[in-house]
Amino acid sequence: MSIPDYQTLMLPVLQVAAQGETRVPIASETIADQFALSEEEREELLPSGKQALLHNRVHWAKFYMTKAGLIDSPSRGVFVASDAGKALLAKNPKRIDVELLKTYPAFIEFYDKSNSSKSDSQDTAQEQAAASETTPEEQIDAANSVLTKALKADLLSRVHEQTPTFFEHLIVELLVAMGYGGSHESAARRLGKSGDGGIDGIIDEDRLGLDRIYVQAKRYSPEQTIGRPAIQGFVGSLIGFGATKGVFVTTCTFSRQALDYVENLQQRVILIDGDRLAELMIEFGIGVRVSRVVQVKRLDEDFFAD
């Protein structure tokens, strides 16, 4: 089964906490066993890749129940069911969720919309966040995914509108930003200059030029597909030059036959399609700039440690 949402996990988390003091990783393993989660599900990360999804959901289930007074935290990283939590479990509830937590004055105080320092929009956002089946981190990652998808589409559209020379310069900028080519000057002299034998350019793999990477850069319409024959031609050129490493970059996609073909080659050939190209441009800051930074801070447990 899939990993339950954090509100569904509230009851199991409280039940684990009622058995004695525990920690999020330990509680997560117990709950994973209870729901018969697979190893892949246990190890699944948030889209940001910074935390296990199950741990994140257990954490937020614990956090909200703590605000309701159902869970106590006697020491750093440790939590246990409070008397109120045990009393709730004695009633054999079928489910614990935010709506149930709202029956507790402590949670209402935390959740209070009458705080004059908050605007109506902030109240609405808080209510939606707490009522959602996803945790705040999941909501942030989901929003970031939507923004990134739109940015990638915009990038590819703008790149396709440019000249072939611009595309060559873009590849230079990207490869240098990734640590190849040594410098813009030396990379520019090598890339986009040969144009023969099926090779668009040669770039140093490192600053000393101890090894070289042969590059093919094709600015095609996004709806086009590059098939195996084109890749075979590129590989043939690598063999002709005695090269062992090649990168084929395009703004469109590769066929499944092309992708399968490069898997079993003696030469190391990397295929970068339009989607991956846009990802790399965003990662290394090519053609994009930061418009807004949102810092998500957590409690520093070490600061409060004895």
Side-chain angles (χ1 to χ4, degrees):
M1 66 175 295
S2 59
I3 302 173
D5 64 82
Y6 82 96
Q7 293 197 63
T8 300
L9 288 175
M10 286 184 181
L11 178 57
V13 168
L14 186 59
Q15 289 171 334
V16 172
Q19 297 174 12
E21 294 184 0
T22 187
R23 298 175 181 271
V24 168
I26 298 174
S28 297
E29 282 301 310
T30 301
I31 291 171
D33 291 339
Q34 178 182 338
F35 284 93
L37 298 181
S38 66
E39 284 301 316
E40 290 77 14
E41 290 168 332
R42 295 167 191 247
E43 297 174 3
E44 183 179 348
L45 300 177
L46 290 166
S48 63
K50 297 184 181 297
Q51 187 182 19
L53 179 58
L54 177 60
H55 286 202
N56 179 261
R57 292 181 178 178
V58 169
H59 163 77
W60 280 101
K62 172 187 75 73
F63 172 79
Y64 280 119
M65 287 192 292
T66 298
K67 293 302 180 182
L70 302 179
I71 283 180
D72 291 331
S73 297
S75 60
R76 176 185 176 185
V78 174
F79 65 96
V80 66
S82 66
D83 291 339
K86 294 176 181 177
L88 175 60
L89 290 177
K91 298 178 182 179
N92 295 317
K94 294 183 178 179
R95 175 181 171 86
I96 300 175
D97 54 22
V98 170
E99 287 303 312
L100 189 151
L101 298 185
K102 288 180 182 178
T103 63
Y104 289 83
F107 188 78
I108 290 296
E109 183 178 354
F110 159 73
Y111 195 70
D112 191 3
K113 302 184 186 68
S114 65
N115 190 331
S116 60
S117 65
K118 296 188 299 182
S119 65
D120 291 340
S121 62
Q122 287 175 312
D123 286 337
T124 301
Q126 177 175 314
E127 184 174 1
Q128 291 176 341
S132 172
E133 293 184 350
T134 56
T135 67
E137 283 91 348
E138 290 178 87
Q139 294 169 43
I140 291 173
D141 285 349
N144 182 65
S145 177
V146 171
L147 292 172
T148 299
K149 184 176 180 179
L151 177 57
K152 286 164 63 175
D154 287 343
L155 272 175
L156 287 178
S157 177
R158 292 298 295 272
V159 168
H160 186 254
E161 293 172 358
Q162 307 305 314
T163 66
T165 300
F166 178 92
F167 187 54
E168 291 172 358
H169 290 166
L170 184 157
I171 301 304
V172 169
E173 291 283 342
L174 178 59
L175 291 174
V176 171
M178 294 174 67
Y180 301 107
S183 68
H184 287 82
E185 291 75 16
S186 62
R189 285 197 300 271
R190 292 183 179 277
L191 188 62
K193 298 298 182 181
S194 74
D196 72 329
I199 300 295
D200 286 336
I202 307 168
I203 191 167
D204 291 334
E205 185 175 16
D206 54 74
R207 291 184 178 275
L208 296 179
L210 296 175
D211 204 352
R212 292 175 176 177
I213 299 173
Y214 288 71
V215 180
Q216 183 80 284
K218 297 301 180 185
R219 184 183 59 91
Y220 290 152
S221 175
E223 61 269 12
Q224 288 186 255
T225 300
I226 294 178
R228 174 170 172 163
I231 307 304
Q232 286 178 311
F234 178 53
V235 172
S237 298
L238 293 180
I239 295 173
F241 282 102
T244 60
K245 299 175 183 177
V247 176
F248 198 118
V249 188
T250 185
T251 52
C252 62
T253 60
F254 296 101
S255 69
R256 170 47 55 187
Q257 291 79 8
L259 295 171
D260 291 340
Y261 172 66
V262 301
E263 289 295 321
N264 300 311
L265 293 173
Q266 290 184 340
Q267 293 77 15
R268 180 63 170 165
V269 176
I270 303 298
L271 304 183
I272 299 178
D273 62 12
D275 188 70
R276 181 57 176 154
L277 174 61
E279 287 181 355
L280 291 171
M281 290 177 66
I282 294 171
E283 180 179 353
F284 291 94
I286 305 300
V288 298
R289 60 182 175 84
V290 176
S291 64
R292 184 179 182 185
V293 176
V294 178
Q295 290 186 332
V296 179
K297 297 185 178 182
R298 288 188 178 277
L299 185 70
D300 184 356
E301 295 284 3
D302 291 334
F303 180 84
F304 298 98
D306 293 334

